[in-house]
Amino acid sequence: MSGDDALRRVVRVHGRVQGVGFRWATAQEAERLGVAGTVRNLLDGTVEVDVEGPAAEVASLVDWLGHGPSSARVERTEVTERSPHAAPPSGFRVL
């Protein structure tokens, strides 16, 4: 993937998203789509996903985050555009 077709988004997911396997399901979906990044729980009860990869795959993960796994109850997402990293990350990690 060249830097020209890389896209990066940071998504904050609100709702019942902690303690329901959301991070692990996100990592599984990210790996299926072939995107890189991280997912972590935040102290305010939200989950933050920092994802980078080809535009179509990043968009697919952002769409998926709008509902998440069946155990979650997503109320809303906040999506922030960010510049791709100078050295693209490899793999997807649960923090």
Side-chain angles (χ1 to χ4, degrees):
M1 165 178 60
S2 72
D4 292 341
D5 49 1
L7 192 70
R8 181 176 173 214
R9 298 291 181 263
V10 176
V11 183
R12 173 95 40 112
V13 186
H14 297 259
R16 196 179 110 217
V17 292
Q18 290 191 10
V20 295
F22 196 95
R23 291 178 302 153
W24 301 103
T26 299
Q28 189 173 39
E29 184 68 8
E31 289 174 11
R32 185 185 75 76
L33 291 168
V35 295
T38 59
V39 58
R40 66 184 179 142
N41 286 341
L42 298 180
L43 293 175
D44 65 1
T46 62
V47 169
E48 182 184 74
V49 182
D50 188 340
V51 59
E52 185 170 336
E57 286 78 1
V58 169
S60 291
L61 184 62
V62 170
D63 287 344
W64 183 89
L65 292 169
H67 58 81
S70 61
S71 57
R73 296 295 173 261
V74 176
E75 293 173 1
R76 66 186 167 92
T77 59
E78 297 171 17
V79 182
T80 304
E81 293 183 22
R82 297 278 170 86
S83 296
H85 291 96
S90 62
F92 198 89
R93 295 181 302 143
V94 175
L95 303 178

